[in-house]
Amino acid sequence: MHRRETVLHRPALLFSVVLAAILLVFNNALGADSALKAHDYKMAGDAQYTRIVVHFDRKPDFRWFLLRDPSRLVIDLPSTDFSFDPLELRPRGLVAAVQYGAVDAQRARLVFRAVGPFSVEKAEVKENETSDGFRLIIELRASSTEAFDAALRASMLKPGTEARLEAPSHTQDRFTVALDPGHGGADGGARGVNGTVEKQITLLFSLELARKLEETGLYRVVLTREDDRFLRLDERVRIAREKGADLFVSVHADAIAIRSVRGATVYTVSDKASDAEAAATAARENLSDEIAGKVPEEEQDEVEDILVDLIRRETHAFSIRFARTLIGKLSDTVQLVKNPHRYAGFRVLRAPDIPSVLLELGYLSNPKDEAQLRDPAWRAATMDAIIEAVGYFAKANGGARG
């Protein structure tokens, strides 16, 4: 009886095996055809803010996390077929490189290597309004090393959670001042009537000011450069943001054809210049990148949203407040130009979230101003006035702590 049942069940068993094989082949073929499809990759922005948009044929199930050394954003996806235009993957803004591909049969991955620490402002999927499919929107903003590391530590404590970055807290840290010695390297800047080179005097002044600020015990100081090197204007801003600067002061010493003009000027950023001279000064300072043969790619980024505009407006108000404070303190020590607070489109002052000013210490084209800049006593008195202004501003904004 047992043998008869075995024989009778052989055809059914054979049929089941064949059916399973057919289903396996069919499912594999179906799986290959049903892989998520990623296409139409777009990236826009600059070294402070970059937006990435990736289109999919259907809603992607994704998760993201961070890696460091170098700073990277990783997007995990289900099995995905990628069809990107290689030209769209070229380094741009905060993104130094893009990698993508299969991790295994079930998973795929997008990896964005950044030029430095960053925060993930947005990572979300939206359905297309006027066409089929969905789009993944990623918005990155330059951040500080401290904030990036904090996010990594938080993600390690909670496995599987997104490593969202928060703005660095200064409640337990000193008020951070970023000093930016103008020019450097191949870009010497202005030259004085007696041979003083702007890149050298701004570095000397900034190094001395940094030491005096640190000696107060109230401030942490970041220098964008400490030697004779060239930095693009956007790199100067990025360094300040990576270090969590609360205030950015770019130090310069101008020169013009009219040698009788002298005095210090404090500039803030504006799309519209306060006067023709301010516009000309901004144009000269913005030439730094071109002089060194390194021109950053300028893009009109349509993704600048209302929130960014509001942040910029608030930061701009703080920049003006510090500029007026600085002028008030300098007026007792330093000769100022007429209407000493001016504004124009300085690229180096475009950090959206750091109050920033550009201080022209004087005119190297004027013999008296040049002599003052080379005088240690004059520099020390000027630095004391700047430190007073920083202290007043920091206390007014909850910064300086003993």
Side-chain angles (χ1 to χ4, degrees), residues 55-134:
H55 285 264
F56 294 87
D57 64 330
R58 62 181 185 272
K59 187 174 183 178
D61 180 18
F62 79 99
R63 65 179 293 270
W64 64 266
F65 59 93
L66 301 171
L67 297 173
R68 63 167 302 169
D69 297 327
S71 302
R72 285 160 288 167
L73 169 65
V74 180
I75 305 289
D76 269 351
L77 296 160
S79 178
T80 303
D81 290 335
F82 296 95
S83 57
F84 294 152
D85 180 353
L87 294 178
E88 296 292 345
L89 302 178
R90 291 178 302 177
R92 188 171 302 161
L94 280 167
V95 177
V98 182
Q99 295 175 294
Y100 60 90
V103 177
D104 52 39
Q106 287 77 40
R107 294 181 301 149
R109 179 168 287 178
L110 268 166
V111 181
F112 304 96
R113 177 164 60 84
V115 297
F118 60 89
S119 64
V120 180
E121 300 289 300
K122 181 183 293 185
E124 64 180 16
V125 171
K126 288 190 175 182
E127 187 173 4
N128 294 334
E129 293 83 3
T130 59
S131 62
D132 294 335
F134 291 77

Side-chain angles (χ1 to χ4, degrees), residues 353-370:
D353 52 357
I354 307 175
S356 304
V357 302
L358 186 145
L359 171 61
E360 293 280 5
L361 292 166
Y363 287 89
L364 290 173
S365 49
N366 180 276
K368 291 182 179 179
D369 274 6
E370 183 184 16

